[in-house]
Amino acid sequence: MAVPPIIDAAEFEAVQMLLRTRCPALTAPRVVSGPTLLTGICFCATCGGAMTLRTGKSGRYRYYTCSTKARQGETGCKGRTVPMEKLDSVVAEHIEQRLLQPKRLEQILSAVLHRRKERAERRTAHIAELRKRASEAEAKLKRLYDAIENGVADVSDPLLKARVTELQSTRDQARADAERAEGALDRAGPSITPQALKTFASQARRRMRTESGGYRRDHLRALAQRVEVDAKEVRIMGSKSVLLRTLVAASSAKTAGFGVPSFVPKWRARNDSNVRPSDS
């Protein structure tokens, strides 16, 4: 039987991407949970190599520099070197001032929010259909029981027994499917209203900042997943699905969307969850 998907393809791929970036078998713990804000997501726009941390003057100065250039010199990549504090501030302030504005969030997420609303409506209709199917099976069972009680039907009739079993199975299956669908609908979180966008933007701007004036790495990673440093510009990229998931989690008063545990070696120990149906 046809079953509505729990999540769309874009959201699935976004989660898989996050799983890969946080997997200790693929990404070193120092990259996942280290103190440097952009380590692991900052890349040279010229060669695509990672921008790694370098220090100067006995550690007094810290820079992001193209790893290819650092290893091979300018023959590998002409690359570039940027003061760490300057690049951190540019990226974080752009996110604060440009992305974390209610109107901008609504503009970016308009298509995603529309699909989310349509999916919720489909799920609601599917749940209603399942509940109707269960009620109809229950009503038919009641009529059969009444017929047996009134002596109209023979309880020893094998066809009657088979029909009762069939209706019981239909009723129980429909109820179980409805409960699972309702659980999926609940897990999808609340609807995203203009007020929710406003609250999220305000809280995210505040939570990105540390008490010392720096930036929280996990909060920034929930909003941007790749930074490319070019000669004259810095390109900040992120996933709409990840942004929506962060927004929904924040609207649900959960902490998962803002700061999934960065490096917990056994959090997905068997590596067997959320596989594609074709892979299972």
Side-chain angles (χ1 to χ4, degrees), residues 58-129:
S58 301
R60 288 172 55 196
Y61 302 106
R62 311 180 81 187
Y63 305 90
Y64 290 110
T65 189
C66 173
S67 58
T68 305
K69 180 180 179 180
R71 292 194 313 270
Q72 304 175 17
E74 292 195 359
T75 56
C77 178
K78 292 185 178 181
R80 52 200 48 84
T81 297
V82 184
M84 184 187 75
E85 184 177 350
K86 180 179 180 180
L87 186 57
D88 286 352
S89 297
V90 166
V91 172
E93 288 175 5
H94 182 86
I95 290 174
E96 285 181 324
Q97 298 171 11
R98 295 290 300 278
L99 175 63
L100 294 177
Q101 301 297 329
K103 290 184 179 179
R104 179 60 176 161
L105 287 171
E106 186 174 2
Q107 179 185 4
I108 292 174
L109 296 175
S110 59
V112 180
L113 291 173
H114 180 68
R115 289 197 301 271
R116 185 172 185 267
K117 181 180 178 182
E118 286 186 336
R119 188 162 62 247
E121 290 173 349
R122 288 197 303 271
R123 286 176 179 168
T124 300
H126 182 58
I127 291 169
E129 177 60 31

Side-chain angles (χ1 to χ4, degrees), residues 102-103 105-106 113 191-201 247:
K103 290 184 179 179
L105 287 171
E106 186 174 2
L113 291 173
S191 59
I192 304 301
T193 63
Q195 181 57 44
L197 289 173
K198 183 178 180 180
T199 300
F200 170 76
L247 173 57

Side-chain angles (χ1 to χ4, degrees), residues 1-5 126 129-130 133 177:
M1 59 183 285
V3 178
H126 182 58
E129 177 60 31
L130 290 170
R133 188 183 306 168
D177 290 344

Side-chain angles (χ1 to χ4, degrees), residues 69-276:
K69 180 180 179 180
R71 292 194 313 270
Q72 304 175 17
E74 292 195 359
T75 56
C77 178
K78 292 185 178 181
R80 52 200 48 84
T81 297
V82 184
M84 184 187 75
E85 184 177 350
K86 180 179 180 180
L87 186 57
D88 286 352
S89 297
V90 166
V91 172
E93 288 175 5
H94 182 86
I95 290 174
E96 285 181 324
Q97 298 171 11
R98 295 290 300 278
L99 175 63
L100 294 177
Q101 301 297 329
K103 290 184 179 179
R104 179 60 176 161
L105 287 171
E106 186 174 2
Q107 179 185 4
I108 292 174
L109 296 175
S110 59
V112 180
L113 291 173
H114 180 68
R115 289 197 301 271
R116 185 172 185 267
K117 181 180 178 182
E118 286 186 336
R119 188 162 62 247
E121 290 173 349
R122 288 197 303 271
R123 286 176 179 168
T124 300
H126 182 58
I127 291 169
E129 177 60 31
L130 290 170
R131 291 297 183 192
K132 179 182 177 182
R133 188 183 306 168
S135 297
E136 290 175 347
E138 180 68 25
K140 291 176 181 178
L141 278 170
K142 186 177 184 304
R143 288 196 293 270
L144 284 178
Y145 294 149
D146 289 343
I148 294 171
E149 186 176 358
N150 295 328
V152 177
D154 183 4
V155 70
S156 62
D157 185 347
L159 293 178
L160 177 63
K161 290 182 179 180
R163 180 58 175 159
V164 168
T165 300
E166 179 186 1
L167 288 172
Q168 288 175 335
S169 177
T170 299
R171 177 199 61 191
D172 295 344
Q173 186 64 52
R175 286 176 176 174
D177 290 344
E179 289 177 1
R180 281 195 293 270
E182 286 174 342
L185 191 60
D186 290 340
R187 289 192 297 273
S191 59
I192 304 301
T193 63
Q195 181 57 44
L197 289 173
K198 183 178 180 180
T199 300
F200 170 76
S202 175
Q203 291 181 348
R205 287 194 300 270
R206 175 172 52 83
R207 291 175 179 174
M208 272 186 62
R209 294 278 186 172
T210 63
E211 292 182 0
S212 61
Y215 303 99
R216 297 187 187 278
R217 178 188 177 119
D218 55 343
H219 286 27
L220 183 138
R221 297 293 178 96
L223 304 169
Q225 289 81 53
R226 185 179 179 89
V227 176
E228 291 185 354
V229 182
D230 212 335
K232 296 184 179 180
E233 65 180 10
V234 175
R235 293 185 285 274
I236 304 170
M237 289 162 274
S239 164
K240 292 180 181 180
S241 297
V242 174
L243 178 59
L244 177 62
R245 185 171 63 88
T246 303
L247 173 57
V248 170
S251 300
S252 304
K254 297 177 181 178
T255 59
F258 244 169
V260 172
S262 299
F263 177 61
V264 182
K266 297 183 180 180
W267 76 281
R268 188 169 171 256
R270 295 186 301 170
N271 200 41
D272 59 354
S273 60
N274 295 326
V275 296
R276 290 180 180 274

